[in-house]
């Protein structure tokens, strides 16, 4: 972007945003003297260790030399947390009064103590394995000190709220058996030795699944994004967004949304995303007419949504895949459409704000025919190269992998190098992109074609990542390793190669520049991982408490009682719970707490209302609201970071940002009831709901309808469509959006979805229904956890091949006639319906009765209700156009 020099800078504003990122993501301490090398060196070694353990190198060394250099999963988790414990003591001050330019002696002690308590599990692993569940005094001392130092680390890196939550769970373990507690929440209790062994000495607590995902997956993706950012990709994506959208009405705000979406491809932190793109976009938004709070709110809304953008999607995405058993490749597909719909709606909201404020775009480049042709030609060439690159990588490498499986890696590397050199040849003919001063007057937007052709090589590592994950089907960990390796290679070589292609221009300094970007990326990736590693370790205590005590059942019953058995009320309570906890917890910890407690309850309560909710959809529901907590006042840290740049009020910025994010808050409710938006539908396999991809045309239909509905909803919330809306038009737009999102509401009113039959007719109905069809069975019986309550639940079963109704139902469901009732026997352990034993007391005085059998009714397509919705939308547009005084686009 062409600018004019000026002395009007506001470093303090940008610095305050950077300070928030440092204090939250990487630590605010920057020692001086000899200590200033300590934190970067340890962080660099940590990154090297993670790359080493993810690579094939340990196995190659061990096979060649016989040396034991391969670390197992548990050892990697322990060493991973050891690095985090050392760095959190050095990089995060213990209190506001602690020194920021030196490491106090007590932090040295805590760093050594935390690392020692972790490494004890590696050094004495054989002795520990020989005494399972029988801790020695040393084991108890180490476990106790380990939990204490972890608690201090949580307080340093994540603040008091998460420490309080973890402490409550620990207190429940030790005091949950106390007689002064209510019977409903009391448990049998555990000895001190059993609890300490559970939390520290095995993989059920601190070193559990959450920390394992952090060590094996999250670190590599964060490292990949950090190196990509330090190598110049962040500035590249910002300039692309401004080149394409800056000339439009409210262009800087629209560019902010797109730049944050592109940054979200590789960044999992909404706060870092806010500062990275906001430092440039927020001042420009203010200068083009946006008030400070709205400029900050646009950046906050777009940056928090960056965590929804595949393939990284924040640290919690990998935990979702692990906890639900969903392949990461499938999770990327599920998350794609909602993320795109959300961003399209945000761009439209920004457009409506610009219309209301009467804003214009930034100056275009000179509009000479030759310049225009060059611009279009360059942009189309760049877009064509990107598309051709993706197709070529997909088909050529796929063909190589199929034809030469033994040499596919070498061939892939060769093709990568050829394309890399080709993109650098193109880039070397243009000057490198410079980071512009956001406070300097704008004289001209950059040309889209020039920007694209200058940074095409930044697309390559992302393609490598997607290719490894989606095509070759490598594990996410190995895919991230190869993508990070590709990015490291680019960071080290891009400047020297371009210098050679420019006939040696600046060759001497290009090597140092490449090494500097690589080293800063390695250090930044490790420092950004400190709070994530600590959070996942602390989350292991929460998960361990739930597995040890069964606390999830207590909380689930309490929330279900508050909801009164209503799924919608339950979803609202879970959303509020996520937002409240998110005021003090990071996204990852917030997701783990709420999902561990509430995701199974959402699924079971949905089943009791006859709605089959895939487990992954319930986890994504929690994930979305955990993300929204980053801009929820009064504690939304992303809003504080944006306000630090804009100079606006952080509370007002947070409220405005959340107002923009209402459309994102709507999406989880929609895909719970309409899973087509997640590109899935539900099939019943052996009594268990399985998510299956819908055909592409169904996904395309869902996308188009969702976009139209979301735009109508956005216009309603902004009370502006083609012109300002009155209350009738606002209500009509809400009705249009509701109908397009959930036409089944009106269809259920017109035609009930099921025919209900008496439970005693189950065998006759099963005999008449075709093989493969589903029956919904309403069971009524005594609640296993509350003998004074009658429990009702729907289960769905698929009919087998057989001559009689009993054969079609199969042996997993056993019914017996008892007078006029059909009584159900307890399912055998290991069958798909064994879980019913946790819901019903099959040995109570009153038996479990099959109350009714429901068969699907033949109904008209729900899409019929799109017709009145579109007609109503047309009427609103007609009335709006009559009052319109300003062009809508």
């Amino acid at each position: 972007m062409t600018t004019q020099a000026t002395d009007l800078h506001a470093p303090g504003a940008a610095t305050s945003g950077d300070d928030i990122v440092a204090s939250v993501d990487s630590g605010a301490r920057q020692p001086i003297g000899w200590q200033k090398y300590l934190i970067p060196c340890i962080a660099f070694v940590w990154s090297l260790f993670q790359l080493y353990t993810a690579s094939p190198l340990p196995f190659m060394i061990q096979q060649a030399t016989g040396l034991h250099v391969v670390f197992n999963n548990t050892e990697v988790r322990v060493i991973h947390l050891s690095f985090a414990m050392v760095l959190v003591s050095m990089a995060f001050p213990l209190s506001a009064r602690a020194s920021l330019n030196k490491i106090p002696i007590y932090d040295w002690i805590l760093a050594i103590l935390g690392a020692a308590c972790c490494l004890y599990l590696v050094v004495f692993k054989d002795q520990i394995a020989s005494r399972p569940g029988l801790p020695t005094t040393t084991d108890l001392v180490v476990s106790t000190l380990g939990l204490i130092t972890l608690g201090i680390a949580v307080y340093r890196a994540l603040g008091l709220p998460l420490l309080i939550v973890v402490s409550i769970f620990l207190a429940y373990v030790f005091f949950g058996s106390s007689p002064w507690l209510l019977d409903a929440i009391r448990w049998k209790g555990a000895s001190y030795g059993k609890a300490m062994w559970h939390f520290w000495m095995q993989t059920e607590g601190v070193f559990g699944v959450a920390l394992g995902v952090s060590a094996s997956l999250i670190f590599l993706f964060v490292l990949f994004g950090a190196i990509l950012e330090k190598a110049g990709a962040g500035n590249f994506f910002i300039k692309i967004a401004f080149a394409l959208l800056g000339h439009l009405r409210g262009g800087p705000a629209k560019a902010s949304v797109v730049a944050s979406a592109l940054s979200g491809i590789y960044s999992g932190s909404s706060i870092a995303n806010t500062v990275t793109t906001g430092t440039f976009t927020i001042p420009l938004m203010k200068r083009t007419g946006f008030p400070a709070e709205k400029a900050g709110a646009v950046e906050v809304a777009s940056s928090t949504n960056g965590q929804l953008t595949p393939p990284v999607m924040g640290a919690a995405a990998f935990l979702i895949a692990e906890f639900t058993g969903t392949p990461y490749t499938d999770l990327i597909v599920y998350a794609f459409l909602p993320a795109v719909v959300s961003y399209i709606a945000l761009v439209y909201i920004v457009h409506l704000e610009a219309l209301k404020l009467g804003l214009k775009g930034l100056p275009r480049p000179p509009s000479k025919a030759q310049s225009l042709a060059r611009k279009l030609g360059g942009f189309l060439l760049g877009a064509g190269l990107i598309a051709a690159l993706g197709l070529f990588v997909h088909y050529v490498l796929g063909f190589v992998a199929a034809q030469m499986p033994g040499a596919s890696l070498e061939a892939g590397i060769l093709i990568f190098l050829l394309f890399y050199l080709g993109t650098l040849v193109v880039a070397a003919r243009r000057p490198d992109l410079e980071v512009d001063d956001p406070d300097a007057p704008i004289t001209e937007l950059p040309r889209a074609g020039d920007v694209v052709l200058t940074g095409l090589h930044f697309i390559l590592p992302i393609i490598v990542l997607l290719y490894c994950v989606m095509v070759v089907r490598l594990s996410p960990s190995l895919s991230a390793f190869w993508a990070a390796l590709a990015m490291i290679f680019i960071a080290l070589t891009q400047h020297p190669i371009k210098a050679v292609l420019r006939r040696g221009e600046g060759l001497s300094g290009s090597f140092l520049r490449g090494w500097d970007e690589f080293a800063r990326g390695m250090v930044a990736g490790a420092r950004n991982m400190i709070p994530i590693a600590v959070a996942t370790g602390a989350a292991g205590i929460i998960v361990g408490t739930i597995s040890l005590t069964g606390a999830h059942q207590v909380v689930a019953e309490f929330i279900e009682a508050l909801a009164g058995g209503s799924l919608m009320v339950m979803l609202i309570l879970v959303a509020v719970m996520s937002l409240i906890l998110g005021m003090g917890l990071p996204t990852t910890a917030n997701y783990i707490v709420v999902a561990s407690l509430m995701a199974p309850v959402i699924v079971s309560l949905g089943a009791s209302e006859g709605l089959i909710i895939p487990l992954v959809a319930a986890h994504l529901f929690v994930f979305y609201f955990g993300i929204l907590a980053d801009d929820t006042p009064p504690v939304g840290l992303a809003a504080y970071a944006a306000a630090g740049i804009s100079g606006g009020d952080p509370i007002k910025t947070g409220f405005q940002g959340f107002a923009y994010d209402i459309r994102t808050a709507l999406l989880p409710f929609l895909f719970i009831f309409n899973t087509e938006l997640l590109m899935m539908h539900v099939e019943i396999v052996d009594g268990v709901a399985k998510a299956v991809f819908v055909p592409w045309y169904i996904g395309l239909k869902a996308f188009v309808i969702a976009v139209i509905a979301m735009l109508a909803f956005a216009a309603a919330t902004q009370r502006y469509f083609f012109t300002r809306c009155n209350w009738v038009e606002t209500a009509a737009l809400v009705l249009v959006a509701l109908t397009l999102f959930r036409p089944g509401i009106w269809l259920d009113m017109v035609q009930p979805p099921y025919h209900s039959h008496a439970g005693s007719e189950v065998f006759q109905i099963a005999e008449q229904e075709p093989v493969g069809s589903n029956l919904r069975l309403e069971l009524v019986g005594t609640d296993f956890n509350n003998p004074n309550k009658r429990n009702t639940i729907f289960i769905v079963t698929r009919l087998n091949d057989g001559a009689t109704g009993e054969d079609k139902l199969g042996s997993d469901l056993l019914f017996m006639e008892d007078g006029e009732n059909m009584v159900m026997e307890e399912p055998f352990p290991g069958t798909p319906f064994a879980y019913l034993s946790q819901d019903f007391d099959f040995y109570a005085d009153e038996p479990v009765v099959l109350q009714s059998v429901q068969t699907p009714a033949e109904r008209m397509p729900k899409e019929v209700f799109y017709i009145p919705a579109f007609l109503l939308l047309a009427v609103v547009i007609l009335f709006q156009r009559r009052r319109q005084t300003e062009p809508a686009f």
Side-chain angles (χ1 to χ4, degrees), residues 31-71:
I32 59 177
W34 69 271
Q35 291 185 350
K36 72 178 181 180
Y37 302 105
L38 192 62
I39 296 175
C41 287
I42 296 174
F44 189 87
V45 172
W46 189 12
S47 294
L48 284 180
F49 169 77
Q50 296 289 162
L51 287 171
Y52 171 78
T53 56
S55 72
L57 186 61
F59 300 96
M60 296 167 61
I61 294 175
Q62 184 164 309
Q63 185 176 9
T65 65
L67 298 175
H68 179 68
V69 292
V70 178
F71 296 93

Side-chain angles (χ1 to χ4, degrees), residues 816-839:
M816 180 179 63
E817 293 187 16
D818 182 12
E820 296 182 355
N821 295 327
M822 186 67 72
V823 175
M824 182 176 177
E825 300 289 333
E826 182 179 16
F828 292 114
T831 62
F833 302 102
Y835 69 92
L836 292 174
S837 299
Q838 302 173 8
D839 298 308

Side-chain angles (χ1 to χ4, degrees), residues 325-377:
T326 303
Y328 183 65
T329 51
D330 292 355
L331 187 63
I332 290 174
V333 177
Y334 296 154
F336 179 72
L337 283 188
V340 174
V341 170
S342 179
Y343 268 110
I344 290 174
L346 184 55
V347 170
Y348 184 60
I349 287 174
V350 166
H351 178 74
L352 295 178
E353 286 283 17
L355 276 173
K356 290 190 286 185
L357 294 170
L359 304 183
K360 304 298 181 183
L362 296 174
R364 292 173 178 264
S367 58
K368 295 179 181 179
Q370 182 181 0
S371 299
L372 180 61
R374 181 181 172 188
K375 172 183 174 181
L376 290 175

Side-chain angles (χ1 to χ4, degrees), residues 234-255:
N235 186 44
F236 170 65
F237 288 136
I238 290 173
K239 291 210 169 189
I240 284 180
F242 270 87
L244 294 176
L245 302 173
H247 65 283
L248 300 176
R249 190 189 297 271
K254 293 174 181 175

